[in-house]
Amino acid sequence: MNGATRRLRATFGPYTFEPLAERLTGRSQRRPAEKRARLLAAGRTAFSQTGYGASVHEICRAAGVGIGTFYQQFPDKSDLMRLLMDDEHQYRVSAFDALAAKPPGDLASEVSRVLAGSDPALLRAMIEGCETDGRLRDFGRDLRKETHERLVAALARARESRKIRRPALDAKTASWAMLLMGDAAKDPAQSDDVRKVIDILAFAGDDTIEPGRA
Amino acid sequence: MNGATRRLRATFGPYTFEPLAERLTGRSQRRPAEKRARLLAAGRTAFSQTGYGASVHEICRAAGVGIGTFYQQFPDKSDLMRLLMDDEHQYRVSAFDALAAKPPGDLASEVSRVLAGSDPALLRAMIEGCETDGRLRDFGRDLRKETHERLVAALARARESRKIRRPALDAKTASWAMLLMGDAAKDPAQSDDVRKVIDILAFAGDDTIEPGRA
Protein backbone atom coordinates (compact mmCIF):
# COMPACT_ATOMS: atom_id res chain seq x y z
CA MET A 1 0.00 0.00 0.00
CA ASN A 2 1.61 3.28 -1.06
CA GLY A 3 1.56 6.57 0.84
CA ALA A 4 -1.28 8.12 -1.13
CA THR A 5 -3.49 5.06 -0.66
CA ARG A 6 -2.70 5.19 3.03
CA ARG A 7 -3.71 8.83 3.23
CA LEU A 8 -6.84 8.14 1.22
CA ARG A 9 -7.82 5.35 3.57
CA ALA A 10 -7.14 7.53 6.60
CA THR A 11 -9.52 10.12 5.17
CA PHE A 12 -12.27 7.95 3.80
CA GLY A 13 -12.08 4.83 5.98
CA PRO A 14 -11.43 1.20 5.05
CA TYR A 15 -14.84 0.59 3.49
CA THR A 16 -13.85 2.72 0.54
CA PHE A 17 -11.06 0.35 -0.31
CA GLU A 18 -12.00 -3.01 1.14
CA PRO A 19 -15.72 -3.46 1.44
CA LEU A 20 -16.69 -6.07 4.00
CA ALA A 21 -17.37 -8.57 1.23
CA GLU A 22 -13.78 -8.53 0.05
CA ARG A 23 -12.45 -9.23 3.49
CA LEU A 24 -14.58 -12.36 3.83
CA THR A 25 -13.42 -15.48 2.08
CA GLY A 26 -16.69 -17.38 1.70
CA ARG A 27 -17.70 -18.34 -1.84
CA SER A 28 -21.06 -16.63 -1.41
CA GLN A 29 -19.26 -13.30 -0.91
CA ARG A 30 -17.28 -13.31 -4.14
CA ARG A 31 -19.84 -11.64 -6.34
CA PRO A 32 -19.64 -8.20 -4.69
CA ALA A 33 -15.88 -8.09 -5.43
CA GLU A 34 -16.56 -9.01 -9.04
CA LYS A 35 -19.18 -6.28 -9.32
CA ARG A 36 -16.75 -3.82 -7.83
CA ALA A 37 -14.12 -4.72 -10.42
CA ARG A 38 -16.72 -4.40 -13.17
CA LEU A 39 -17.76 -0.98 -11.87
CA LEU A 40 -14.14 0.19 -11.81
CA ALA A 41 -13.63 -0.97 -15.41
CA ALA A 42 -16.92 0.65 -16.48
CA GLY A 43 -15.94 3.89 -14.71
CA ARG A 44 -12.65 3.92 -16.61
CA THR A 45 -14.52 3.55 -19.92
CA ALA A 46 -17.29 6.04 -19.11
CA PHE A 47 -14.93 8.75 -17.82
CA SER A 48 -12.66 8.37 -20.80
CA GLN A 49 -15.61 8.60 -23.22
CA THR A 50 -17.72 11.30 -21.54
CA GLY A 51 -15.30 13.05 -19.19
CA TYR A 52 -15.82 13.49 -15.47
CA GLY A 53 -19.42 14.44 -16.23
CA ALA A 54 -20.27 10.75 -16.86
CA SER A 55 -23.16 9.86 -14.55
CA VAL A 56 -23.38 7.04 -12.01
CA HIS A 57 -26.28 5.73 -14.14
CA GLU A 58 -24.04 5.58 -17.20
CA ILE A 59 -21.36 3.72 -15.26
CA CYS A 60 -23.88 1.22 -13.85
CA ARG A 61 -25.38 0.61 -17.28
CA ALA A 62 -21.93 -0.11 -18.72
CA ALA A 63 -21.14 -2.42 -15.80
CA GLY A 64 -24.51 -4.18 -16.05
CA VAL A 65 -25.33 -3.62 -12.38
CA GLY A 66 -28.06 -1.72 -10.56
CA ILE A 67 -27.55 1.66 -9.00
CA GLY A 68 -27.89 0.17 -5.50
CA THR A 69 -24.84 -2.03 -6.13
CA PHE A 70 -22.82 1.05 -7.01
CA TYR A 71 -23.58 2.71 -3.68
CA GLN A 72 -22.82 -0.51 -1.79
CA GLN A 73 -19.32 -0.28 -3.24
CA PHE A 74 -18.58 3.46 -3.43
CA PRO A 75 -19.88 6.44 -1.45
CA ASP A 76 -20.06 8.44 -4.70
CA LYS A 77 -18.64 8.97 -8.18
CA SER A 78 -15.78 11.03 -6.81
CA ASP A 79 -14.60 8.04 -4.77
CA LEU A 80 -14.52 5.76 -7.82
CA MET A 81 -12.52 8.40 -9.72
CA ARG A 82 -10.13 8.62 -6.82
CA LEU A 83 -9.34 4.91 -7.16
CA LEU A 84 -8.70 5.32 -10.88
CA MET A 85 -6.40 8.27 -10.13
CA ASP A 86 -4.50 6.08 -7.70
CA ASP A 87 -4.10 3.44 -10.46
CA GLU A 88 -2.73 6.10 -12.80
CA HIS A 89 -0.39 7.24 -10.07
CA GLN A 90 0.93 3.67 -9.67
CA TYR A 91 1.50 3.53 -13.41
CA ARG A 92 3.60 6.72 -13.33
CA VAL A 93 5.56 5.80 -10.25
CA SER A 94 6.41 2.30 -11.53
CA ALA A 95 7.52 3.73 -14.86
CA PHE A 96 9.72 6.35 -13.20
CA ASP A 97 11.25 3.76 -10.86
CA ALA A 98 12.05 1.58 -13.90
CA LEU A 99 13.85 4.41 -15.73
CA ALA A 100 17.20 3.41 -14.22
CA ALA A 101 17.10 0.12 -16.13
CA LYS A 102 16.72 1.90 -19.50
CA PRO A 103 19.48 3.58 -21.52
CA PRO A 104 19.79 7.16 -20.15
CA GLY A 105 19.15 8.56 -23.63
CA ASP A 106 15.60 7.20 -23.44
CA LEU A 107 14.62 9.20 -20.36
CA ALA A 108 12.98 12.11 -22.19
CA SER A 109 10.91 9.88 -24.50
CA GLU A 110 9.86 7.64 -21.65
CA VAL A 111 8.89 10.51 -19.32
CA SER A 112 6.98 12.19 -22.14
CA ARG A 113 5.17 8.92 -22.93
CA VAL A 114 4.24 8.32 -19.29
CA LEU A 115 3.04 11.92 -18.73
CA ALA A 116 0.65 11.47 -21.67
CA GLY A 117 -1.23 8.99 -19.47
CA SER A 118 -2.00 5.28 -19.68
CA ASP A 119 -5.14 6.53 -21.48
CA PRO A 120 -4.97 10.23 -22.48
CA ALA A 121 -8.78 10.63 -22.58
CA LEU A 122 -9.06 9.24 -19.05
CA LEU A 123 -6.25 11.55 -17.93
CA ARG A 124 -8.20 14.52 -19.32
CA ALA A 125 -11.25 13.38 -17.31
CA MET A 126 -9.08 13.18 -14.18
CA ILE A 127 -7.84 16.73 -14.69
CA GLU A 128 -11.42 17.87 -15.27
CA GLY A 129 -12.40 16.09 -12.05
CA CYS A 130 -9.67 17.88 -10.10
CA GLU A 131 -10.80 21.23 -11.51
CA THR A 132 -14.42 20.73 -10.46
CA ASP A 133 -14.23 18.59 -7.30
CA GLY A 134 -12.34 19.95 -4.29
CA ARG A 135 -11.68 16.54 -2.74
CA LEU A 136 -10.20 15.21 -5.97
CA ARG A 137 -8.07 18.34 -6.24
CA ASP A 138 -6.59 17.77 -2.76
CA PHE A 139 -6.04 14.10 -3.49
CA GLY A 140 -4.44 14.89 -6.85
CA ARG A 141 -2.10 17.34 -5.16
CA ASP A 142 -0.92 14.62 -2.75
CA LEU A 143 -0.33 12.19 -5.61
CA ARG A 144 1.58 14.84 -7.52
CA LYS A 145 3.96 15.38 -4.60
CA GLU A 146 4.78 11.70 -4.52
CA THR A 147 5.17 11.53 -8.33
CA HIS A 148 7.54 14.48 -8.10
CA GLU A 149 9.71 12.78 -5.47
CA ARG A 150 10.02 9.61 -7.57
CA LEU A 151 10.90 11.58 -10.69
CA VAL A 152 13.58 13.54 -8.79
CA ALA A 153 15.17 10.25 -7.73
CA ALA A 154 14.95 8.77 -11.26
CA LEU A 155 16.47 11.91 -12.78
CA ALA A 156 19.33 11.96 -10.29
CA ARG A 157 20.17 8.35 -11.22
CA ALA A 158 19.98 9.10 -14.95
CA ARG A 159 22.29 12.12 -14.58
CA GLU A 160 24.72 10.03 -12.58
CA SER A 161 24.85 7.37 -15.27
CA ARG A 162 25.20 10.05 -17.96
CA LYS A 163 28.00 11.66 -15.93
CA ILE A 164 26.34 15.07 -15.81
CA ARG A 165 28.12 16.58 -12.84
CA ARG A 166 27.01 20.19 -13.14
CA PRO A 167 23.42 20.22 -14.33
CA ALA A 168 22.02 23.66 -15.13
CA LEU A 169 18.85 22.88 -13.16
CA ASP A 170 18.79 21.01 -9.85
CA ALA A 171 16.81 17.73 -10.04
CA LYS A 172 13.93 19.13 -7.98
CA THR A 173 13.33 22.15 -10.22
CA ALA A 174 13.91 20.14 -13.41
CA SER A 175 11.42 17.43 -12.35
CA TRP A 176 8.84 20.03 -11.35
CA ALA A 177 9.09 21.67 -14.79
CA MET A 178 8.96 18.25 -16.47
CA LEU A 179 5.67 17.48 -14.68
CA LEU A 180 4.32 20.88 -15.78
CA MET A 181 4.89 19.72 -19.36
CA GLY A 182 2.45 16.89 -18.63
CA ASP A 183 -0.56 18.96 -19.71
CA ALA A 184 0.94 19.35 -23.17
CA ALA A 185 2.02 15.70 -23.31
CA LYS A 186 -1.62 14.60 -23.50
CA ASP A 187 -1.79 16.07 -27.01
CA PRO A 188 -0.12 13.62 -29.45
CA ALA A 189 0.64 16.51 -31.86
CA GLN A 190 2.95 18.00 -29.24
CA SER A 191 4.71 14.85 -28.09
CA ASP A 192 7.88 15.56 -30.05
CA ASP A 193 8.17 19.08 -28.61
CA VAL A 194 7.51 17.75 -25.12
CA ARG A 195 10.30 15.20 -25.54
CA LYS A 196 12.77 17.87 -26.72
CA VAL A 197 11.93 20.21 -23.83
CA ILE A 198 12.18 17.41 -21.25
CA ASP A 199 15.57 16.45 -22.63
CA ILE A 200 16.87 20.01 -22.09
CA LEU A 201 15.35 20.29 -18.61
CA ALA A 202 16.84 16.96 -17.61
CA PHE A 203 20.28 17.12 -19.15
CA ALA A 204 21.39 20.69 -19.89
CA GLY A 205 24.66 21.43 -18.09
CA ASP A 206 25.67 24.79 -16.67
CA ASP A 207 28.52 25.12 -19.16
CA THR A 208 25.97 26.26 -21.77
CA ILE A 209 24.37 28.96 -19.70
CA GLU A 210 26.97 31.68 -19.95
CA PRO A 211 25.75 35.20 -19.24
CA GLY A 212 29.22 36.43 -20.21
CA ARG A 213 28.73 35.45 -23.84
CA ALA A 214 26.83 38.61 -24.60
CA MET B 1 -5.87 47.78 -33.63
CA ASN B 2 -4.10 44.43 -33.27
CA GLY B 3 -4.99 41.14 -34.97
CA ALA B 4 -6.90 39.67 -32.06
CA THR B 5 -9.01 42.80 -31.67
CA ARG B 6 -9.70 42.68 -35.39
CA ARG B 7 -10.85 39.07 -35.15
CA LEU B 8 -12.92 39.87 -32.08
CA ARG B 9 -14.62 42.68 -33.91
CA ALA B 10 -15.25 40.46 -36.91
CA THR B 11 -16.98 37.98 -34.60
CA PHE B 12 -18.88 40.27 -32.30
CA GLY B 13 -19.43 43.37 -34.40
CA PRO B 14 -18.32 46.95 -33.83
CA TYR B 15 -20.86 47.64 -31.07
CA THR B 16 -18.88 45.46 -28.69
CA PHE B 17 -15.92 47.73 -28.98
CA GLU B 18 -17.25 51.11 -29.95
CA PRO B 19 -20.78 51.70 -28.80
CA LEU B 20 -22.57 54.35 -30.79
CA ALA B 21 -22.11 56.83 -27.94
CA GLU B 22 -18.33 56.75 -28.26
CA ARG B 23 -18.40 57.41 -31.95
CA LEU B 24 -20.42 60.59 -31.47
CA THR B 25 -18.59 63.67 -30.29
CA GLY B 26 -21.39 65.65 -28.75
CA ARG B 27 -21.01 66.67 -25.10
CA SER B 28 -24.33 65.04 -24.26
CA GLN B 29 -22.90 61.70 -25.34
CA ARG B 30 -19.87 61.68 -23.04
CA ARG B 31 -21.46 60.12 -20.05
CA PRO B 32 -21.98 56.67 -21.60
CA ALA B 33 -18.25 56.47 -22.37
CA GLU B 34 -17.44 57.36 -18.77
CA LYS B 35 -19.83 54.70 -17.51
CA ARG B 36 -18.25 52.18 -19.81
CA ALA B 37 -14.79 52.98 -18.45
CA ARG B 38 -16.14 52.70 -14.90
CA LEU B 39 -17.71 49.33 -15.70
CA LEU B 40 -14.43 48.05 -17.14
CA ALA B 41 -12.52 49.16 -14.02
CA ALA B 42 -15.18 47.63 -11.76
CA GLY B 43 -15.07 44.38 -13.77
CA ARG B 44 -11.31 44.24 -13.28
CA THR B 45 -11.73 44.62 -9.51
CA ALA B 46 -14.69 42.23 -9.18
CA PHE B 47 -13.10 39.46 -11.27
CA SER B 48 -9.83 39.74 -9.41
CA GLN B 49 -11.61 39.58 -6.04
CA THR B 50 -14.29 36.98 -6.76
CA GLY B 51 -13.03 35.16 -9.85
CA TYR B 52 -14.96 34.79 -13.09
CA GLY B 53 -18.01 33.92 -10.97
CA ALA B 54 -18.44 37.63 -10.08
CA SER B 55 -21.97 38.64 -11.11
CA VAL B 56 -23.08 41.49 -13.35
CA HIS B 57 -24.87 42.86 -10.26
CA GLU B 58 -21.63 42.90 -8.31
CA ILE B 59 -19.85 44.70 -11.16
CA CYS B 60 -22.64 47.30 -11.47
CA ARG B 61 -22.68 47.92 -7.73
CA ALA B 62 -18.91 48.52 -7.74
CA ALA B 63 -19.26 50.84 -10.76
CA GLY B 64 -22.19 52.69 -9.22
CA VAL B 65 -24.40 52.19 -12.29
CA GLY B 66 -27.67 50.40 -12.88
CA ILE B 67 -27.92 47.00 -14.53
CA GLY B 68 -29.54 48.55 -17.61
CA THR B 69 -26.43 50.65 -18.22
CA PHE B 70 -24.33 47.50 -18.20
CA TYR B 71 -26.38 45.90 -20.96
CA GLN B 72 -26.30 49.11 -23.00
CA GLN B 73 -22.51 48.75 -23.02
CA PHE B 74 -21.87 45.01 -23.14
CA PRO B 75 -23.92 42.08 -24.45
CA ASP B 76 -22.89 40.05 -21.38
CA LYS B 77 -20.26 39.45 -18.72
CA SER B 78 -18.22 37.32 -21.11
CA ASP B 79 -17.83 40.30 -23.43
CA LEU B 80 -16.49 42.53 -20.66
CA MET B 81 -14.01 39.82 -19.68
CA ARG B 82 -12.93 39.56 -23.31
CA LEU B 83 -11.96 43.23 -23.31
CA LEU B 84 -9.94 42.77 -20.12
CA MET B 85 -8.21 39.77 -21.71
CA ASP B 86 -7.32 41.90 -24.67
CA ASP B 87 -5.80 44.50 -22.31
CA GLU B 88 -3.72 41.79 -20.66
CA HIS B 89 -2.65 40.60 -24.09
CA GLN B 90 -1.49 44.13 -24.99
CA TYR B 91 0.50 44.21 -21.76
CA ARG B 92 2.29 40.96 -22.64
CA VAL B 93 2.93 41.83 -26.25
CA SER B 94 4.34 45.29 -25.42
CA ALA B 95 6.59 43.81 -22.75
CA PHE B 96 7.89 41.12 -25.14
CA ASP B 97 8.48 43.67 -27.89
CA ALA B 98 10.47 45.80 -25.41
CA LEU B 99 12.74 42.89 -24.42
CA ALA B 100 15.28 43.80 -27.10
CA ALA B 101 16.03 47.08 -25.31
CA LYS B 102 16.93 45.28 -22.05
CA PRO B 103 20.19 43.49 -21.24
CA PRO B 104 19.83 39.94 -22.60
CA GLY B 105 20.55 38.51 -19.14
CA ASP B 106 17.25 40.00 -17.95
CA LEU B 107 15.09 38.06 -20.40
CA ALA B 108 14.19 35.19 -18.07
CA SER B 109 13.26 37.49 -15.14
CA GLU B 110 11.25 39.77 -17.39
CA VAL B 111 9.35 36.96 -19.14
CA SER B 112 8.64 35.31 -15.80
CA ARG B 113 7.38 38.63 -14.39
CA VAL B 114 5.12 39.29 -17.38
CA LEU B 115 3.70 35.75 -17.40
CA ALA B 116 2.66 36.23 -13.77
CA GLY B 117 0.15 38.79 -15.06
CA SER B 118 -0.35 42.53 -14.61
CA ASP B 119 -2.57 41.36 -11.73
CA PRO B 120 -2.14 37.65 -10.85
CA ALA B 121 -5.62 37.36 -9.29
CA LEU B 122 -7.21 38.79 -12.43
CA LEU B 123 -5.14 36.42 -14.56
CA ARG B 124 -6.47 33.49 -12.51
CA ALA B 125 -10.03 34.74 -13.17
CA MET B 126 -9.24 34.90 -16.90
CA ILE B 127 -8.01 31.30 -16.91
CA GLU B 128 -11.13 30.27 -14.97
CA GLY B 129 -13.23 32.11 -17.57
CA CYS B 130 -11.51 30.26 -20.41
CA GLU B 131 -12.14 26.94 -18.67
CA THR B 132 -15.85 27.55 -18.22
CA ASP B 133 -16.83 29.71 -21.22
CA GLY B 134 -16.31 28.31 -24.71
CA ARG B 135 -16.20 31.73 -26.41
CA LEU B 136 -13.54 32.97 -24.02
CA ARG B 137 -11.58 29.78 -24.58
CA ASP B 138 -11.54 30.33 -28.36
CA PHE B 139 -10.63 33.97 -27.93
CA GLY B 140 -7.88 33.09 -25.44
CA ARG B 141 -6.45 30.58 -27.90
CA ASP B 142 -6.20 33.28 -30.59
CA LEU B 143 -4.48 35.68 -28.19
CA ARG B 144 -2.08 32.95 -27.15
CA LYS B 145 -1.03 32.35 -30.75
CA GLU B 146 -0.18 36.00 -31.17
CA THR B 147 1.66 36.12 -27.82
CA HIS B 148 3.65 33.09 -28.93
CA GLU B 149 4.69 34.76 -32.21
CA ARG B 150 5.89 37.89 -30.41
CA LEU B 151 7.85 35.87 -27.86
CA VAL B 152 9.51 33.83 -30.65
CA ALA B 153 10.68 37.09 -32.27
CA ALA B 154 11.90 38.53 -28.93
CA LEU B 155 13.77 35.35 -28.08
CA ALA B 156 15.45 35.22 -31.50
CA ARG B 157 16.71 38.79 -30.98
CA ALA B 158 17.94 38.02 -27.46
CA ARG B 159 19.81 34.93 -28.68
CA GLU B 160 21.36 36.94 -31.47
CA SER B 161 22.61 39.59 -29.06
CA ARG B 162 23.89 36.88 -26.69
CA LYS B 163 25.62 35.19 -29.64
CA ILE B 164 23.95 31.83 -29.09
CA ARG B 165 24.38 30.27 -32.52
CA ARG B 166 23.36 26.70 -31.80
CA PRO B 167 20.51 26.80 -29.30
CA ALA B 168 19.42 23.40 -27.99
CA LEU B 169 15.75 24.30 -28.58
CA ASP B 170 14.48 26.18 -31.63
CA ALA B 171 12.85 29.52 -30.72
CA LYS B 172 9.35 28.24 -31.48
CA THR B 173 9.55 25.23 -29.17
CA ALA B 174 11.39 27.20 -26.46
CA SER B 175 8.78 30.00 -26.50
CA TRP B 176 5.95 27.49 -26.41
CA ALA B 177 7.44 25.82 -23.34
CA MET B 178 8.09 29.24 -21.76
CA LEU B 179 4.40 30.12 -22.14
CA LEU B 180 3.46 26.77 -20.59
CA MET B 181 5.39 27.87 -17.51
CA GLY B 182 2.95 30.78 -17.24
CA ASP B 183 0.55 28.81 -15.07
CA ALA B 184 3.25 28.35 -12.46
CA ALA B 185 4.41 31.96 -12.76
CA LYS B 186 1.15 33.17 -11.18
CA ASP B 187 2.32 31.68 -7.87
CA PRO B 188 4.90 34.07 -6.30
CA ALA B 189 6.42 31.15 -4.34
CA GLN B 190 7.49 29.60 -7.64
CA SER B 191 8.76 32.69 -9.41
CA ASP B 192 12.42 31.89 -8.82
CA ASP B 193 12.03 28.36 -10.24
CA VAL B 194 10.11 29.73 -13.22
CA ARG B 195 12.92 32.17 -13.93
CA LYS B 196 15.56 29.43 -13.77
CA VAL B 197 13.59 27.14 -16.09
CA ILE B 198 12.91 29.93 -18.59
CA ASP B 199 16.61 30.78 -18.64
CA ILE B 200 17.49 27.18 -19.60
CA LEU B 201 14.73 26.97 -22.23
CA ALA B 202 15.82 30.25 -23.77
CA PHE B 203 19.59 29.97 -23.67
CA ALA B 204 20.79 26.36 -23.39
CA GLY B 205 23.06 25.49 -26.31
CA ASP B 206 23.31 22.10 -27.94
CA ASP B 207 26.89 21.67 -26.78
CA THR B 208 25.54 20.59 -23.39
CA ILE B 209 23.18 17.96 -24.66
CA GLU B 210 25.61 15.17 -25.41
CA PRO B 211 24.12 11.70 -25.53
CA GLY B 212 27.65 10.33 -25.98
CA ARG B 213 28.62 11.35 -22.45
CA ALA B 214 27.06 8.24 -20.94
Side-chain angles (χ1 to χ4, degrees):
Chain A
M1 185 162 55
N2 70 0
T5 308
R6 239 186 342 264
R7 280 191 298 278
L8 184 59
R9 178 177 290 183
T11 312
F12 296 94
Y15 289 95
T16 306
F17 286 90
E18 293 177 47
L20 186 60
E22 285 185 27
R23 281 182 277 142
L24 299 173
T25 48
R27 176 180 290 261
S28 66
Q29 299 296 343
R30 276 195 200 133
R31 289 196 53 221
E34 283 169 24
K35 284 182 181 166
R36 183 177 176 82
R38 252 154 65 194
L39 278 165
L40 280 165
R44 182 176 283 277
T45 308
F47 287 136
S48 99
Q49 280 171 356
T50 312
Y52 187 57
S55 68
V56 169
H57 268 285
E58 195 176 335
I59 296 168
C60 289
R61 211 168 31 240
V65 305
I67 203 108
T69 305
F70 182 96
Y71 288 107
Q72 276 162 18
Q73 297 290 337
F74 310 99
D76 52 25
K77 185 174 86 169
S78 169
D79 185 72
L80 191 155
M81 182 51 122
R82 224 178 278 119
L83 292 169
L84 298 180
M85 283 170 65
D86 197 53
D87 281 351
E88 184 70 19
H89 175 66
Q90 295 308 325
Y91 164 78
R92 290 188 167 199
V93 158
S94 308
F96 291 160
D97 287 353
L99 277 173
K102 296 188 185 279
D106 291 353
L107 180 134
S109 309
E110 179 67 3
V111 169
S112 155
R113 192 185 65 74
V114 171
L115 290 183
S118 59
D119 171 351
L122 180 62
L123 188 57
R124 269 192 293 275
M126 287 173 181
I127 292 166
E128 190 194 343
C130 291
E131 279 164 1
T132 54
D133 178 326
R135 283 183 306 165
L136 287 184
R137 183 166 45 242
D138 293 346
F139 182 58
R141 199 173 292 142
D142 278 354
L143 293 182
R144 206 174 168 88
K145 265 182 218 156
E146 201 165 302
T147 312
H148 183 217
E149 283 163 23
R150 299 295 190 98
L151 184 56
V152 169
L155 177 56
R157 285 192 300 268
R159 284 173 166 179
E160 183 64 33
S161 99
R162 222 166 138 167
K163 307 211 188 316
I164 294 177
R165 302 293 181 205
R166 297 184 307 149
L169 284 174
D170 63 282
K172 222 177 126 188
T173 306
S175 300
W176 167 78
M178 285 153 82
L179 289 178
L180 272 187
M181 298 302 296
D183 264 356
K186 292 192 310 291
D187 180 353
Q190 302 188 307
S191 68
D192 195 49
D193 286 343
V194 170
R195 190 193 48 70
K196 280 194 282 184
V197 171
I198 286 179
D199 199 48
I200 306 304
L201 295 170
F203 298 123
D206 65 2
D207 39 343
T208 8
I209 316 300
E210 293 171 32
R213 277 189 193 191
Chain B
M1 184 162 54
N2 70 1
T5 308
R6 239 184 343 262
R7 279 191 298 278
L8 184 59
R9 179 176 291 182
T11 311
F12 296 96
Y15 290 95
T16 306
F17 287 90
E18 292 178 47
L20 186 60
E22 286 183 27
R23 280 182 279 142
L24 299 174
T25 49
R27 178 180 291 261
S28 66
Q29 299 296 342
R30 275 196 201 135
R31 288 196 54 221
E34 285 168 23
K35 284 181 181 166
R36 184 178 174 80
R38 253 155 64 194
L39 278 165
L40 280 165
R44 185 177 280 278
T45 308
F47 287 137
S48 98
Q49 281 172 355
T50 313
Y52 187 57
S55 68
V56 169
H57 268 284
E58 194 176 336
I59 296 168
C60 290
R61 211 169 31 240
V65 306
I67 203 111
T69 305
F70 182 95
Y71 287 107
Q72 277 162 19
Q73 298 289 338
F74 310 99
D76 53 24
K77 184 175 85 171
S78 170
D79 186 72
L80 191 155
M81 182 51 122
R82 225 177 279 118
L83 292 168
L84 297 180
M85 283 170 65
D86 198 52
D87 282 351
E88 184 70 20
H89 175 67
Q90 295 309 325
Y91 163 76
R92 289 187 169 200
V93 157
S94 310
F96 291 160
D97 287 351
L99 276 173
K102 296 188 184 279
D106 291 355
L107 180 133
S109 308
E110 180 66 2
V111 170
S112 153
R113 192 184 67 74
V114 171
L115 291 183
S118 60
D119 171 351
L122 180 62
L123 187 57
R124 267 192 295 275
M126 287 173 180
I127 292 166
E128 190 195 342
C130 290
E131 279 164 0
T132 54
D133 179 325
R135 284 183 305 165
L136 287 184
R137 182 166 45 242
D138 293 345
F139 181 58
R141 201 172 290 143
D142 279 353
L143 294 181
R144 206 175 168 87
K145 266 183 216 154
E146 201 165 303
T147 313
H148 183 216
E149 283 163 23
R150 299 296 190 98
L151 185 54
V152 169
L155 178 55
R157 286 193 300 270
R159 283 174 166 178
E160 183 63 34
S161 100
R162 223 167 138 165
K163 308 209 188 316
I164 293 178
R165 302 292 181 208
R166 297 183 307 148
L169 284 174
D170 62 283
K172 221 177 125 190
T173 307
S175 299
W176 167 80
M178 283 153 83
L179 289 177
L180 272 187
M181 298 302 297
D183 264 356
K186 293 193 309 292
D187 179 353
Q190 301 188 307
S191 68
D192 194 50
D193 287 342
V194 171
R195 190 194 47 70
K196 281 193 282 182
V197 170
I198 286 180
D199 198 49
I200 305 305
L201 294 170
F203 297 122
D206 65 1
D207 40 341
T208 9
I209 314 302
E210 292 169 32
R213 277 190 192 191

